[in-house]
C-alpha cells in the first residue's frame, strides 16, 4: 500500500542524497578544498532516546507520516532553491553542471514528498496538528547540523538580497499549497528571526 511506497522511496532517497554528498565532496577535493572525512561517532544515549521516541511516536500517532512528508517537502523545496541560488552566484561550469543534476534529483524527491503530504494532510485534523508542530519546531534543512553562526551565514548568502528573498518567498508559496498551510511562511519566519535585520 501507500506506506510501502514511502519505504521504497526513502531507500532510494537515502542512496541519492548520499551520492549528492559524495559528488560535492569530490568536486571540492578536486578544486583543492579537502573535505575532512565524516567521523562515524559512537551512538550516544541521546541518539537511542531520540530514535526510540521517533519510533514510538510513529507507532502511536497515525498522522506521523503526514508530518514527515510535509517536513520533507519543505526541506526538498528549500534545497532546490538553495542550489538554484548557488548556480546564479557562480560561473564555474563543472559545479553548475553538477548542481543542475542534483536539482533534477531533488525535484523528483520534492514531488513525492509533496504528493504524499497533500494526501496525508487531507485527513481531518491532521493539517492543524502538523502545522502547529512545524510552526514551533521548523529549522531549515542543514541548519541544525552546523553552528548557529555558520547556518545564519549560509542562509544569508543564499536567501538574502533581492533574489535570495524572492527565492525564500517562492519556497513558502509552494508549501502554502499543502492543506492547512495556506498562510504559512516557515522559511521566511526563520530567516526573519535569524538572518534578516
Amino acid at each position: 500500500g501507500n506506506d510501502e511506497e514511502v519505504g521504497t522511496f526513502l531507500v532510494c532517497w537515502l542512496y541519492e542524497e548520499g551520492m549528492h554528498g559524495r559528488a560535492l565532496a569530490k568536486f571540492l577535493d578536486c578544486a583543492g578544498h579537502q573535505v575532512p572525512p565524516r567521523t562515524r561517532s559512537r551512538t550516544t544515549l541521546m541518539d537511542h532516546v531520540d530514535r526510540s521516541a521517533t519510533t514510538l511516536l510513529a507507532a502511536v500517532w497515525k498522522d506521523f507520516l503526514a508530518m514527515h512528508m510535509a517536513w520533507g517537502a519543505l526541506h526538498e523545496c528549500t534545497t532546490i532553491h538553495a542550489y538554484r541560488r548557488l548556480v546564479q552566484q557562480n560561473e564555474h561550469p563543472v559545479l553548475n553542471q553538477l548542481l543542475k543534476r542534483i536539482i533534477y534529483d531533488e525535484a523528483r524527491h520534492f514531488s513525492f514528498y509533496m504528493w504524499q503530504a497533500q494526501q496525508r494532510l487531507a485527513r481531518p485534523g491532521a493539517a492543524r496538528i502538523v502545522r502547529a508542530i512545524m510552526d514551533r519546531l521548523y529549522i531549515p534543512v542543514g541548519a541544525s547540523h552546523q553552528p548557529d553562526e555558520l547556518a545564519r551565514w549560509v542562509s544569508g548568502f543564499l536567501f538574502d538580497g533581492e533574489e535570495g528573498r524572492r527565492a525564500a518567498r517562492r519556497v513558502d508559496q509552494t508549501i502554502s499549497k499543502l492543506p492547512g498551510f495556506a498562510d504559512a511562511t516557515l522559511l521566511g519566519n526563520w530567516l526573519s528571526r535569524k538572518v534578516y535585520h
Side-chain angles (χ1 to χ4, degrees):
N2 222 343
D3 290 358
E4 286 177 22
E5 287 177 359
V6 171
T8 303
F9 164 78
L10 289 174
V11 169
C12 178
W13 174 86
L14 191 61
Y15 172 77
E16 289 182 353
E17 292 293 331
M19 293 304 290
H20 296 165
R22 286 192 281 287
L24 289 167
K26 185 165 177 74
F27 169 81
L28 287 170
D29 188 46
C30 290
H33 303 282
Q34 201 167 24
V35 179
R38 294 183 89 172
T39 55
R40 294 187 68 92
S41 59
R42 279 187 326 112
T43 305
T44 66
L45 176 61
M46 279 313 295
D47 291 331
H48 285 297
V49 170
D50 190 43
R51 193 173 301 127
S52 298
T54 302
T55 303
L56 180 64
L57 187 59
V60 299
W61 181 33
K62 63 183 173 294
D63 293 319
F64 176 80
L65 262 179
M67 186 179 72
H68 183 78
M69 293 294 119
W71 212 296
L74 180 51
H75 275 350
E76 295 292 341
C77 190
T78 303
T79 301
I80 289 166
H81 285 281
Y83 284 146
R84 284 180 182 163
R85 289 286 298 133
L86 203 49
V87 168
Q88 286 176 347
Q89 295 182 69
N90 85 87
E91 296 177 1
H92 196 292
V94 175
L95 175 60
N96 284 344
Q97 185 63 38
L98 176 59
L99 291 172
K100 286 174 184 173
R101 288 180 182 183
I102 291 173
I103 289 167
Y104 179 80
D105 286 346
E106 299 293 355
R108 280 187 303 100
H109 300 169
F110 166 73
S111 294
F112 184 86
Y113 276 117
M114 193 73 172
W115 168 61
Q116 284 286 322
Q118 284 170 325
Q119 288 184 321
R120 293 171 186 278
L121 291 172
R123 276 179 40 83
R128 184 175 43 77
I129 295 167
V130 169
R131 170 72 189 276
I133 292 169
M134 289 180 70
D135 277 344
R136 285 168 184 76
L137 301 179
Y138 169 73
I139 298 171
V141 59
S144 62
H145 300 294
Q146 51 194 305
D148 201 45
E149 188 178 323
L150 180 58
R152 285 198 308 269
W153 182 86
V154 170
S155 299
F157 179 76
L158 296 169
F159 292 113
D160 205 355
E162 190 179 330
E163 285 296 316
R165 288 178 186 231
R166 190 175 299 132
R169 282 193 301 273
R170 279 197 293 270
V171 170
D172 282 331
Q173 286 164 357
T174 302
I175 297 306
S176 74
K177 295 175 181 138
L178 290 175
F181 283 73
D183 61 344
T185 53
L186 294 165
L187 179 58
N189 291 349
W190 187 87
L191 290 166
S192 293
R193 288 194 310 272
K194 298 285 189 174
V195 177
Y196 302 155
H197 302 292

